[in-house]
Amino acid sequence: MKNTLKVQRAIKNLTQAELAEKAGVTRQTINYIEIGKYIPTTVLSLKLAKVLGKPVEELFILEKGD
Amino acid sequence: MKNTLKVQRAIKNLTQAELAEKAGVTRQTINYIEIGKYIPTTVLSLKLAKVLGKPVEELFILEKGD
DNA sequence: ACTTTTTGTCAAATATACTTTACTTTTAGT
DNA sequence: ACTAAAAGTAAAGTATATTTGACAAAAAGT
């Protein structure tokens, strides 16, 4: 699964730390998700979608292997 | 977080086992998610959304405590 | 009532999300 | 070049998602 977090963050002009705070997780969690090391739970992806103003499907995209 | 899986399954006339198979997980996983015992990963909720033909936000809804 | 399908549940094992703390590297601003 | 902010990374610990196998309860079909 790939994601567009970096771009969406840029659009909203948010740092990883700021996004983390708004989503209620740590900065490292956001960093790892952005890099693809972690797959977030659905609760977290819904929160990120809410904060970033985009549907989950625009933030996270399934890939071949998934 | 609450979910509408049971209703969506009914609309598509799918058993838990059938939905599980289409999503590539076990029947127990679907059962636990439906009952609220498990929060699925984003990969799984995207797959469920795909199979059920509804956006993630319609299948899973954030609640107060989340 | 009987049988079959579907759903609920449990326990043990494995994988991985998330936290905390801390340090390094990169980027941006002056 | 210097400084500060932002992003990347890592290890250890905790929590929880998912699997497997198996059985009980409930629902549906005949």
Side-chain angles (χ1 to χ4, degrees):
Chain A
M1 187 186 72
K2 64 177 176 177
N3 73 81
T4 64
L5 286 185
K6 201 169 181 175
V7 173
Q8 306 299 337
R9 261 199 317 111
I11 293 175
K12 289 272 181 179
N13 201 35
L14 292 170
T15 66
Q16 291 182 346
E18 288 167 341
L19 179 56
E21 207 253 327
K22 284 174 186 286
V25 291
T26 64
R27 183 180 68 79
Q28 285 80 348
T29 296
I30 296 296
N31 184 249
Y32 284 146
I33 291 170
E34 205 164 297
I35 294 169
K37 276 198 167 188
Y38 286 163
I39 294 170
T41 62
T42 300
V43 166
L44 182 47
S45 58
L46 284 173
K47 286 182 185 172
L48 291 172
K50 193 175 180 181
V51 170
L52 295 170
K54 291 282 166 75
V56 173
E57 280 85 350
E58 270 185 55
L59 302 185
F60 301 99
I61 297 115
L62 286 176
E63 288 180 305
K64 297 260 173 77
D66 298 326
Chain B
M1 187 185 73
K2 63 177 177 176
N3 73 81
T4 64
L5 286 185
K6 201 169 181 175
V7 173
Q8 305 299 337
R9 259 198 319 110
I11 293 175
K12 288 273 182 177
N13 201 36
L14 292 170
T15 66
Q16 291 181 347
E18 287 167 342
L19 179 56
E21 207 252 327
K22 283 175 186 285
V25 291
T26 63
R27 183 181 66 79
Q28 286 82 344
T29 296
I30 296 297
N31 184 249
Y32 284 146
I33 291 170
E34 205 164 297
I35 294 169
K37 276 198 167 188
Y38 287 164
I39 293 168
T41 63
T42 300
V43 166
L44 181 47
S45 57
L46 284 172
K47 285 182 185 172
L48 291 172
K50 194 175 181 183
V51 170
L52 295 170
K54 291 282 166 74
V56 173
E57 281 84 351
E58 271 186 53
L59 302 185
F60 301 99
I61 297 116
L62 286 177
E63 287 180 305
K64 297 260 172 75
D66 297 325

